[in-house]
Amino acid sequence: VPVVAWMADHREALQLGGVLVGIVVLLVADLSWGGLVLLALLVGAFELVVSRLGDRDRDAGEPTTPEPTADVS
């Protein structure tokens, strides 16, 4: 999927952007403790999704090599 490949290529920038958006929300919005926890969960979920999709695309592009087997005679 081209979008996943693009996300894998720009994973670090997307993760940095997610953190920066979270910081801007903290500075602009007047959040209660519940809002702060919700914001932390949302930013964490975004970071996790970006990381997993980037790893999945990189794993799909790598050729798999068979494990060496020991020949016991």
Side-chain angles (χ1 to χ4, degrees):
V1 180
V3 172
V4 176
W6 184 87
M7 287 178 67
D9 291 340
H10 300 90
R11 179 171 59 175
E12 292 83 11
L14 288 169
Q15 289 176 324
L16 179 63
V19 170
L20 292 177
V21 167
I23 291 171
V24 168
V25 169
L26 283 175
L27 293 174
V28 173
D30 183 23
L31 298 177
S32 65
W33 283 106
L36 182 64
V37 169
L38 180 63
L39 178 64
L41 288 173
L42 288 174
V43 171
F46 175 78
E47 299 287 330
L48 183 65
V49 167
V50 169
S51 178
R52 294 291 174 121
L53 286 176
D55 288 342
R56 187 179 79 176
D57 186 62
R58 289 184 184 176
D59 291 342
E62 296 176 1
T64 57
T65 57
E67 292 293 322
T69 58
D71 186 25
V72 179
S73 300

Short mmCIF file of all heavy atoms in Angstrom, two decimals:
data_model
loop_
_atom_site.label_atom_id
_atom_site.label_comp_id
_atom_site.label_asym_id
_atom_site.label_seq_id
_atom_site.Cartn_x
_atom_site.Cartn_y
_atom_site.Cartn_z
N VAL A 1 0.86 -1.17 0.00
CA VAL A 1 0.00 0.00 0.00
C VAL A 1 0.90 1.23 0.00
O VAL A 1 1.78 1.35 0.85
CB VAL A 1 -0.92 0.00 1.25
CG1 VAL A 1 -1.81 1.21 1.27
CG2 VAL A 1 -1.72 -1.27 1.31
N PRO A 2 0.69 2.14 -0.94
CA PRO A 2 1.58 3.31 -1.04
C PRO A 2 1.56 4.21 0.20
O PRO A 2 2.59 4.78 0.56
CB PRO A 2 1.04 4.07 -2.26
CG PRO A 2 0.17 3.12 -2.99
CD PRO A 2 -0.28 2.08 -2.01
N VAL A 3 0.42 4.32 0.86
CA VAL A 3 0.34 5.19 2.04
C VAL A 3 1.21 4.62 3.17
O VAL A 3 1.93 5.36 3.85
CB VAL A 3 -1.13 5.34 2.50
CG1 VAL A 3 -1.20 6.08 3.81
CG2 VAL A 3 -1.93 6.03 1.43
N VAL A 4 1.17 3.31 3.35
CA VAL A 4 1.97 2.68 4.40
C VAL A 4 3.45 2.82 4.09
O VAL A 4 4.27 3.06 4.98
CB VAL A 4 1.55 1.20 4.58
CG1 VAL A 4 2.44 0.51 5.61
CG2 VAL A 4 0.10 1.11 4.99
N ALA A 5 3.81 2.68 2.81
CA ALA A 5 5.21 2.86 2.42
C ALA A 5 5.66 4.30 2.69
O ALA A 5 6.78 4.52 3.18
CB ALA A 5 5.39 2.51 0.94
N TRP A 6 4.80 5.27 2.40
CA TRP A 6 5.14 6.66 2.67
C TRP A 6 5.30 6.89 4.17
O TRP A 6 6.21 7.58 4.61
CB TRP A 6 4.06 7.58 2.10
CG TRP A 6 4.40 9.03 2.26
CD1 TRP A 6 5.13 9.79 1.42
CD2 TRP A 6 4.04 9.87 3.37
NE1 TRP A 6 5.23 11.06 1.92
CE2 TRP A 6 4.58 11.14 3.11
CE3 TRP A 6 3.32 9.66 4.54
CZ2 TRP A 6 4.42 12.20 3.99
CZ3 TRP A 6 3.16 10.72 5.42
CH2 TRP A 6 3.70 11.98 5.13
N MET A 7 4.39 6.30 4.95
CA MET A 7 4.48 6.44 6.41
C MET A 7 5.75 5.82 6.94
O MET A 7 6.37 6.36 7.86
CB MET A 7 3.27 5.81 7.08
CG MET A 7 1.99 6.60 6.91
SD MET A 7 0.58 5.81 7.67
CE MET A 7 1.02 5.92 9.39
N ALA A 8 6.18 4.69 6.37
CA ALA A 8 7.42 4.05 6.82
C ALA A 8 8.62 4.94 6.50
O ALA A 8 9.55 5.04 7.30
CB ALA A 8 7.58 2.69 6.16
N ASP A 9 8.59 5.60 5.35
CA ASP A 9 9.70 6.47 4.97
C ASP A 9 9.75 7.74 5.82
O ASP A 9 10.82 8.32 5.99
CB ASP A 9 9.60 6.85 3.50
CG ASP A 9 9.84 5.68 2.57
OD1 ASP A 9 10.46 4.69 3.02
OD2 ASP A 9 9.41 5.75 1.40
N HIS A 10 8.62 8.18 6.32
CA HIS A 10 8.55 9.43 7.08
C HIS A 10 8.11 9.19 8.53
O HIS A 10 7.54 10.07 9.16
CB HIS A 10 7.56 10.39 6.40
CG HIS A 10 7.95 10.74 5.01
ND1 HIS A 10 7.54 10.01 3.92
CD2 HIS A 10 8.75 11.73 4.53
CE1 HIS A 10 8.05 10.54 2.83
NE2 HIS A 10 8.79 11.59 3.17
N ARG A 11 8.42 8.02 9.05
CA ARG A 11 7.94 7.64 10.38
C ARG A 11 8.44 8.61 11.46
O ARG A 11 7.67 9.04 12.31
CB ARG A 11 8.39 6.23 10.72
CG ARG A 11 7.94 5.80 12.09
CD ARG A 11 8.19 4.36 12.37
NE ARG A 11 9.59 4.03 12.25
CZ ARG A 11 10.09 2.85 12.53
NH1 ARG A 11 9.32 1.89 12.94
NH2 ARG A 11 11.38 2.62 12.41
N GLU A 12 9.70 8.95 11.45
CA GLU A 12 10.24 9.82 12.49
C GLU A 12 9.60 11.20 12.46
O GLU A 12 9.28 11.77 13.51
CB GLU A 12 11.77 9.95 12.35
CG GLU A 12 12.52 8.68 12.65
CD GLU A 12 12.58 7.72 11.47
OE1 GLU A 12 12.21 8.13 10.34
OE2 GLU A 12 12.98 6.56 11.67
N ALA A 13 9.37 11.74 11.27
CA ALA A 13 8.73 13.06 11.16
C ALA A 13 7.29 13.00 11.65
O ALA A 13 6.82 13.93 12.32
CB ALA A 13 8.78 13.54 9.71
N LEU A 14 6.58 11.92 11.34
CA LEU A 14 5.20 11.78 11.81
C LEU A 14 5.15 11.66 13.33
O LEU A 14 4.28 12.25 13.98
CB LEU A 14 4.55 10.55 11.17
CG LEU A 14 4.20 10.68 9.69
CD1 LEU A 14 3.82 9.32 9.12
CD2 LEU A 14 3.09 11.68 9.50
N GLN A 15 6.09 10.92 13.91
CA GLN A 15 6.11 10.79 15.37
C GLN A 15 6.43 12.12 16.03
O GLN A 15 5.81 12.49 17.03
CB GLN A 15 7.11 9.72 15.78
CG GLN A 15 6.65 8.33 15.43
CD GLN A 15 7.68 7.26 15.74
OE1 GLN A 15 8.87 7.49 15.60
NE2 GLN A 15 7.20 6.10 16.16
N LEU A 16 7.38 12.85 15.48
CA LEU A 16 7.70 14.17 16.02
C LEU A 16 6.51 15.11 15.88
O LEU A 16 6.18 15.86 16.81
CB LEU A 16 8.93 14.75 15.31
CG LEU A 16 9.36 16.14 15.74
CD1 LEU A 16 9.78 16.13 17.21
CD2 LEU A 16 10.50 16.64 14.87
N GLY A 17 5.81 15.04 14.75
CA GLY A 17 4.63 15.87 14.55
C GLY A 17 3.54 15.55 15.56
O GLY A 17 2.86 16.46 16.05
N GLY A 18 3.36 14.28 15.87
CA GLY A 18 2.36 13.89 16.87
C GLY A 18 2.66 14.47 18.23
O GLY A 18 1.77 14.95 18.94
N VAL A 19 3.93 14.43 18.62
CA VAL A 19 4.33 15.00 19.91
C VAL A 19 4.14 16.52 19.91
O VAL A 19 3.63 17.10 20.89
CB VAL A 19 5.79 14.63 20.23
CG1 VAL A 19 6.30 15.40 21.43
CG2 VAL A 19 5.92 13.14 20.47
N LEU A 20 4.51 17.17 18.81
CA LEU A 20 4.35 18.63 18.74
C LEU A 20 2.88 19.04 18.79
O LEU A 20 2.54 20.03 19.44
CB LEU A 20 5.02 19.16 17.47
CG LEU A 20 6.54 19.07 17.46
CD1 LEU A 20 7.09 19.56 16.13
CD2 LEU A 20 7.14 19.86 18.61
N VAL A 21 2.01 18.28 18.12
CA VAL A 21 0.58 18.59 18.19
C VAL A 21 0.08 18.43 19.62
O VAL A 21 -0.69 19.26 20.12
CB VAL A 21 -0.22 17.69 17.21
CG1 VAL A 21 -1.71 17.76 17.49
CG2 VAL A 21 0.07 18.10 15.78
N GLY A 22 0.54 17.40 20.31
CA GLY A 22 0.16 17.22 21.71
C GLY A 22 0.61 18.38 22.58
O GLY A 22 -0.14 18.85 23.45
N ILE A 23 1.81 18.87 22.35
CA ILE A 23 2.33 20.01 23.13
C ILE A 23 1.52 21.27 22.83
O ILE A 23 1.18 22.03 23.75
CB ILE A 23 3.83 20.22 22.84
CG1 ILE A 23 4.62 19.06 23.44
CG2 ILE A 23 4.31 21.56 23.38
CD1 ILE A 23 6.09 19.05 23.04
N VAL A 24 1.19 21.49 21.56
CA VAL A 24 0.39 22.67 21.21
C VAL A 24 -0.98 22.60 21.86
O VAL A 24 -1.48 23.60 22.38
CB VAL A 24 0.28 22.81 19.67
CG1 VAL A 24 -0.78 23.83 19.28
CG2 VAL A 24 1.62 23.17 19.07
N VAL A 25 -1.59 21.43 21.88
CA VAL A 25 -2.89 21.27 22.53
C VAL A 25 -2.77 21.57 24.02
O VAL A 25 -3.63 22.22 24.61
CB VAL A 25 -3.48 19.86 22.29
CG1 VAL A 25 -4.68 19.60 23.16
CG2 VAL A 25 -3.83 19.68 20.82
N LEU A 26 -1.69 21.13 24.65
CA LEU A 26 -1.47 21.43 26.07
C LEU A 26 -1.35 22.92 26.32
O LEU A 26 -1.84 23.43 27.34
CB LEU A 26 -0.21 20.73 26.58
CG LEU A 26 -0.31 19.25 26.86
CD1 LEU A 26 1.07 18.69 27.25
CD2 LEU A 26 -1.30 18.97 27.96
N LEU A 27 -0.70 23.63 25.41
CA LEU A 27 -0.51 25.07 25.59
C LEU A 27 -1.78 25.87 25.32
O LEU A 27 -2.02 26.90 25.94
CB LEU A 27 0.62 25.57 24.68
CG LEU A 27 2.02 25.05 25.00
CD1 LEU A 27 3.01 25.50 23.93
CD2 LEU A 27 2.46 25.53 26.37
N VAL A 28 -2.61 25.39 24.38
CA VAL A 28 -3.78 26.16 23.96
C VAL A 28 -5.02 25.82 24.77
O VAL A 28 -5.78 26.70 25.15
CB VAL A 28 -4.03 25.94 22.44
CG1 VAL A 28 -5.33 26.57 22.00
CG2 VAL A 28 -2.87 26.47 21.63
N ALA A 29 -5.23 24.54 25.02
CA ALA A 29 -6.47 24.10 25.67
C ALA A 29 -6.32 24.09 27.19
O ALA A 29 -5.24 23.85 27.72
CB ALA A 29 -6.85 22.71 25.17
N ASP A 30 -7.42 24.36 27.86
CA ASP A 30 -7.46 24.29 29.31
C ASP A 30 -8.01 22.91 29.67
O ASP A 30 -9.23 22.71 29.73
CB ASP A 30 -8.34 25.40 29.87
CG ASP A 30 -8.35 25.42 31.39
OD1 ASP A 30 -7.39 24.90 31.99
OD2 ASP A 30 -9.32 25.95 31.95
N LEU A 31 -7.13 21.94 29.88
CA LEU A 31 -7.54 20.55 30.07
C LEU A 31 -7.63 20.20 31.55
O LEU A 31 -6.81 20.63 32.36
CB LEU A 31 -6.53 19.60 29.41
CG LEU A 31 -6.38 19.72 27.89
CD1 LEU A 31 -5.30 18.77 27.41
CD2 LEU A 31 -7.68 19.43 27.20
N SER A 32 -8.63 19.40 31.87
CA SER A 32 -8.71 18.83 33.22
C SER A 32 -7.77 17.64 33.27
O SER A 32 -7.12 17.29 32.28
CB SER A 32 -10.14 18.39 33.50
OG SER A 32 -10.50 17.33 32.63
N TRP A 33 -7.72 16.98 34.43
CA TRP A 33 -6.87 15.78 34.54
C TRP A 33 -7.33 14.70 33.58
O TRP A 33 -6.52 14.01 32.96
CB TRP A 33 -6.88 15.26 35.98
CG TRP A 33 -6.01 16.06 36.88
CD1 TRP A 33 -6.42 16.94 37.83
CD2 TRP A 33 -4.59 16.09 36.90
NE1 TRP A 33 -5.34 17.51 38.44
CE2 TRP A 33 -4.19 17.01 37.89
CE3 TRP A 33 -3.60 15.45 36.17
CZ2 TRP A 33 -2.87 17.29 38.18
CZ3 TRP A 33 -2.27 15.73 36.45
CH2 TRP A 33 -1.92 16.63 37.45
N GLY A 34 -8.62 14.57 33.44
CA GLY A 34 -9.16 13.58 32.50
C GLY A 34 -8.78 13.91 31.06
O GLY A 34 -8.45 13.02 30.27
N GLY A 35 -8.84 15.19 30.71
CA GLY A 35 -8.44 15.61 29.37
C GLY A 35 -6.97 15.38 29.13
O GLY A 35 -6.56 15.01 28.01
N LEU A 36 -6.17 15.60 30.16
CA LEU A 36 -4.73 15.36 30.03
C LEU A 36 -4.43 13.88 29.79
O LEU A 36 -3.62 13.53 28.93
CB LEU A 36 -4.01 15.85 31.29
CG LEU A 36 -2.50 15.73 31.31
CD1 LEU A 36 -1.87 16.60 30.25
CD2 LEU A 36 -1.97 16.10 32.68
N VAL A 37 -5.13 13.03 30.53
CA VAL A 37 -4.94 11.59 30.35
C VAL A 37 -5.42 11.18 28.97
O VAL A 37 -4.75 10.39 28.27
CB VAL A 37 -5.69 10.81 31.46
CG1 VAL A 37 -5.73 9.32 31.15
CG2 VAL A 37 -5.04 11.07 32.81
N LEU A 38 -6.56 11.70 28.52
CA LEU A 38 -7.08 11.38 27.20
C LEU A 38 -6.11 11.83 26.11
O LEU A 38 -5.86 11.10 25.15
CB LEU A 38 -8.45 12.02 26.99
CG LEU A 38 -9.11 11.77 25.64
CD1 LEU A 38 -9.39 10.28 25.46
CD2 LEU A 38 -10.39 12.58 25.53
N LEU A 39 -5.55 13.02 26.25
CA LEU A 39 -4.58 13.51 25.27
C LEU A 39 -3.35 12.62 25.24
O LEU A 39 -2.85 12.28 24.16
CB LEU A 39 -4.18 14.96 25.59
CG LEU A 39 -3.13 15.58 24.67
CD1 LEU A 39 -3.66 15.69 23.25
CD2 LEU A 39 -2.69 16.93 25.20
N ALA A 40 -2.86 12.22 26.40
CA ALA A 40 -1.69 11.34 26.45
C ALA A 40 -1.99 10.00 25.79
O ALA A 40 -1.15 9.46 25.06
CB ALA A 40 -1.25 11.14 27.90
N LEU A 41 -3.19 9.47 26.02
CA LEU A 41 -3.58 8.20 25.39
C LEU A 41 -3.69 8.34 23.88
O LEU A 41 -3.26 7.45 23.12
CB LEU A 41 -4.89 7.70 25.97
CG LEU A 41 -4.83 7.15 27.39
CD1 LEU A 41 -6.24 6.86 27.90
CD2 LEU A 41 -3.96 5.92 27.47
N LEU A 42 -4.25 9.45 23.41
CA LEU A 42 -4.38 9.66 21.97
C LEU A 42 -3.02 9.81 21.29
O LEU A 42 -2.79 9.22 20.23
CB LEU A 42 -5.25 10.89 21.70
CG LEU A 42 -6.73 10.74 21.97
CD1 LEU A 42 -7.45 12.08 21.81
CD2 LEU A 42 -7.33 9.70 21.05
N VAL A 43 -2.14 10.59 21.89
CA VAL A 43 -0.80 10.76 21.31
C VAL A 43 -0.05 9.43 21.35
O VAL A 43 0.61 9.05 20.37
CB VAL A 43 -0.02 11.87 22.04
CG1 VAL A 43 1.43 11.90 21.60
CG2 VAL A 43 -0.65 13.23 21.78
N GLY A 44 -0.17 8.70 22.44
CA GLY A 44 0.49 7.40 22.53
C GLY A 44 -0.04 6.41 21.51
O GLY A 44 0.72 5.66 20.89
N ALA A 45 -1.36 6.40 21.30
CA ALA A 45 -1.95 5.50 20.30
C ALA A 45 -1.49 5.88 18.90
O ALA A 45 -1.17 5.00 18.08
CB ALA A 45 -3.47 5.56 20.39
N PHE A 46 -1.42 7.18 18.61
CA PHE A 46 -0.92 7.63 17.31
C PHE A 46 0.51 7.18 17.09
O PHE A 46 0.86 6.66 16.03
CB PHE A 46 -1.03 9.15 17.20
CG PHE A 46 -0.43 9.71 15.95
CD1 PHE A 46 -1.11 9.63 14.75
CD2 PHE A 46 0.82 10.31 15.97
CE1 PHE A 46 -0.56 10.14 13.59
CE2 PHE A 46 1.38 10.81 14.82
CZ PHE A 46 0.69 10.74 13.62
N GLU A 47 1.35 7.36 18.10
CA GLU A 47 2.76 6.96 18.00
C GLU A 47 2.86 5.45 17.76
O GLU A 47 3.68 4.99 16.96
CB GLU A 47 3.51 7.35 19.27
CG GLU A 47 3.54 8.82 19.57
CD GLU A 47 4.45 9.59 18.64
OE1 GLU A 47 5.44 9.03 18.17
OE2 GLU A 47 4.16 10.77 18.39
N LEU A 48 2.06 4.68 18.46
CA LEU A 48 2.09 3.23 18.32
C LEU A 48 1.66 2.79 16.92
O LEU A 48 2.29 1.93 16.31
CB LEU A 48 1.20 2.58 19.38
CG LEU A 48 1.18 1.06 19.40
CD1 LEU A 48 2.55 0.52 19.77
CD2 LEU A 48 0.14 0.57 20.38
N VAL A 49 0.59 3.39 16.41
CA VAL A 49 0.11 3.04 15.08
C VAL A 49 1.15 3.38 14.02
O VAL A 49 1.44 2.57 13.13
CB VAL A 49 -1.24 3.74 14.79
CG1 VAL A 49 -1.60 3.64 13.31
CG2 VAL A 49 -2.33 3.15 15.64
N VAL A 50 1.74 4.55 14.11
CA VAL A 50 2.75 4.95 13.14
C VAL A 50 3.95 4.01 13.21
O VAL A 50 4.48 3.58 12.19
CB VAL A 50 3.19 6.42 13.36
CG1 VAL A 50 4.42 6.76 12.54
CG2 VAL A 50 2.05 7.36 13.02
N SER A 51 4.36 3.66 14.41
CA SER A 51 5.51 2.76 14.58
C SER A 51 5.21 1.38 14.03
O SER A 51 6.02 0.79 13.32
CB SER A 51 5.87 2.68 16.07
OG SER A 51 6.93 1.79 16.26
N ARG A 52 4.04 0.83 14.34
CA ARG A 52 3.68 -0.52 13.88
C ARG A 52 3.55 -0.57 12.37
O ARG A 52 3.99 -1.52 11.73
CB ARG A 52 2.37 -0.98 14.53
CG ARG A 52 2.46 -1.18 16.00
CD ARG A 52 3.34 -2.38 16.32
NE ARG A 52 3.55 -2.49 17.74
CZ ARG A 52 3.23 -3.54 18.45
NH1 ARG A 52 2.70 -4.59 17.89
NH2 ARG A 52 3.46 -3.55 19.75
N LEU A 53 2.91 0.43 11.77
CA LEU A 53 2.76 0.44 10.32
C LEU A 53 4.11 0.58 9.62
O LEU A 53 4.36 -0.05 8.60
CB LEU A 53 1.82 1.55 9.87
CG LEU A 53 0.34 1.32 10.14
CD1 LEU A 53 -0.47 2.54 9.73
CD2 LEU A 53 -0.16 0.09 9.41
N GLY A 54 4.98 1.40 10.19
CA GLY A 54 6.32 1.54 9.62
C GLY A 54 7.12 0.27 9.72
O GLY A 54 7.82 -0.12 8.78
N ASP A 55 7.01 -0.43 10.86
CA ASP A 55 7.72 -1.70 11.02
C ASP A 55 7.16 -2.77 10.10
O ASP A 55 7.90 -3.56 9.53
CB ASP A 55 7.63 -2.19 12.47
CG ASP A 55 8.49 -1.37 13.40
OD1 ASP A 55 9.39 -0.66 12.92
OD2 ASP A 55 8.25 -1.43 14.62
N ARG A 56 5.84 -2.78 9.94
CA ARG A 56 5.22 -3.80 9.08
C ARG A 56 5.67 -3.63 7.64
O ARG A 56 5.96 -4.60 6.95
CB ARG A 56 3.70 -3.68 9.17
CG ARG A 56 2.99 -4.80 8.43
CD ARG A 56 1.52 -4.67 8.53
NE ARG A 56 1.10 -3.64 7.58
CZ ARG A 56 -0.15 -3.33 7.35
NH1 ARG A 56 -1.11 -3.91 8.04
NH2 ARG A 56 -0.47 -2.42 6.47
N ASP A 57 5.75 -2.39 7.16
CA ASP A 57 6.17 -2.15 5.79
C ASP A 57 7.63 -2.51 5.59
O ASP A 57 8.01 -3.08 4.58
CB ASP A 57 5.93 -0.70 5.39
CG ASP A 57 6.22 -0.47 3.92
OD1 ASP A 57 5.52 -1.10 3.10
OD2 ASP A 57 7.14 0.30 3.61
N ARG A 58 8.46 -2.20 6.57
CA ARG A 58 9.88 -2.55 6.45
C ARG A 58 10.09 -4.05 6.48
O ARG A 58 10.92 -4.59 5.77
CB ARG A 58 10.68 -1.88 7.56
CG ARG A 58 10.79 -0.39 7.35
CD ARG A 58 11.66 0.26 8.38
NE ARG A 58 11.65 1.69 8.17
CZ ARG A 58 12.25 2.56 8.95
NH1 ARG A 58 12.92 2.13 9.99
NH2 ARG A 58 12.20 3.84 8.69
N ASP A 59 9.32 -4.76 7.32
CA ASP A 59 9.42 -6.21 7.38
C ASP A 59 8.95 -6.85 6.08
O ASP A 59 9.49 -7.87 5.66
CB ASP A 59 8.60 -6.77 8.55
CG ASP A 59 9.21 -6.40 9.90
OD1 ASP A 59 10.41 -6.03 9.92
OD2 ASP A 59 8.51 -6.49 10.91
N ALA A 60 7.94 -6.26 5.45
CA ALA A 60 7.42 -6.84 4.21
C ALA A 60 8.41 -6.69 3.07
O ALA A 60 8.42 -7.50 2.15
CB ALA A 60 6.10 -6.17 3.84
N GLY A 61 9.27 -5.68 3.12
CA GLY A 61 10.22 -5.45 2.04
C GLY A 61 11.49 -6.27 2.16
O GLY A 61 12.25 -6.39 1.19
N GLU A 62 11.75 -6.83 3.31
CA GLU A 62 12.98 -7.58 3.50
C GLU A 62 12.80 -9.02 3.05
O GLU A 62 11.79 -9.65 3.36
CB GLU A 62 13.39 -7.57 4.98
CG GLU A 62 13.73 -6.21 5.50
CD GLU A 62 14.02 -6.23 6.99
OE1 GLU A 62 13.96 -7.32 7.59
OE2 GLU A 62 14.28 -5.16 7.54
N PRO A 63 13.76 -9.56 2.31
CA PRO A 63 13.64 -10.96 1.92
C PRO A 63 13.86 -11.86 3.13
O PRO A 63 14.65 -11.55 4.02
CB PRO A 63 14.76 -11.15 0.89
CG PRO A 63 15.74 -10.08 1.21
CD PRO A 63 14.95 -8.93 1.78
N THR A 64 13.14 -12.94 3.16
CA THR A 64 13.29 -13.86 4.28
C THR A 64 14.35 -14.90 3.93
O THR A 64 14.41 -15.38 2.81
CB THR A 64 11.96 -14.57 4.59
OG1 THR A 64 11.52 -15.25 3.42
CG2 THR A 64 10.90 -13.57 5.03
N THR A 65 15.18 -15.21 4.89
CA THR A 65 16.22 -16.22 4.68
C THR A 65 15.89 -17.41 5.56
O THR A 65 15.49 -17.25 6.71
CB THR A 65 17.62 -15.67 5.04
OG1 THR A 65 17.58 -15.22 6.40
CG2 THR A 65 18.00 -14.52 4.14
N PRO A 66 16.03 -18.60 5.02
CA PRO A 66 15.73 -19.78 5.85
C PRO A 66 16.76 -19.93 6.95
O PRO A 66 17.94 -19.57 6.82
CB PRO A 66 15.79 -20.93 4.85
CG PRO A 66 16.61 -20.43 3.73
CD PRO A 66 16.44 -18.93 3.69
N GLU A 67 16.30 -20.49 8.07
CA GLU A 67 17.19 -20.74 9.19
C GLU A 67 18.12 -21.91 8.84
O GLU A 67 17.68 -22.89 8.23
CB GLU A 67 16.37 -21.09 10.43
CG GLU A 67 15.55 -19.94 10.96
CD GLU A 67 16.41 -18.84 11.53
OE1 GLU A 67 17.45 -19.16 12.16
OE2 GLU A 67 16.07 -17.68 11.36
N PRO A 68 19.40 -21.81 9.21
CA PRO A 68 20.29 -22.93 8.94
C PRO A 68 19.92 -24.12 9.83
O PRO A 68 19.52 -23.97 10.96
CB PRO A 68 21.67 -22.38 9.31
CG PRO A 68 21.40 -21.23 10.21
CD PRO A 68 20.06 -20.68 9.83
N THR A 69 20.02 -25.29 9.26
CA THR A 69 19.71 -26.49 10.02
C THR A 69 21.00 -27.24 10.31
O THR A 69 21.92 -27.26 9.50
CB THR A 69 18.76 -27.40 9.24
OG1 THR A 69 19.36 -27.73 7.99
CG2 THR A 69 17.42 -26.72 9.00
N ALA A 70 21.05 -27.81 11.48
CA ALA A 70 22.23 -28.58 11.87
C ALA A 70 22.06 -30.01 11.34
O ALA A 70 21.04 -30.65 11.55
CB ALA A 70 22.38 -28.60 13.38
N ASP A 71 23.07 -30.49 10.65
CA ASP A 71 23.04 -31.86 10.13
C ASP A 71 23.77 -32.77 11.10
O ASP A 71 25.00 -32.73 11.20
CB ASP A 71 23.68 -31.88 8.74
CG ASP A 71 23.55 -33.25 8.08
OD1 ASP A 71 22.62 -33.98 8.45
OD2 ASP A 71 24.39 -33.57 7.22
N VAL A 72 23.00 -33.51 11.84
CA VAL A 72 23.58 -34.41 12.82
C VAL A 72 23.59 -35.82 12.21
O VAL A 72 22.56 -36.40 11.93
CB VAL A 72 22.77 -34.41 14.15
CG1 VAL A 72 23.36 -35.37 15.15
CG2 VAL A 72 22.68 -33.00 14.68
N SER A 73 24.80 -36.36 12.02
CA SER A 73 24.91 -37.69 11.41
C SER A 73 25.45 -38.68 12.39
O SER A 73 26.23 -38.43 13.23
CB SER A 73 25.84 -37.65 10.21
OG SER A 73 25.36 -36.75 9.25
#
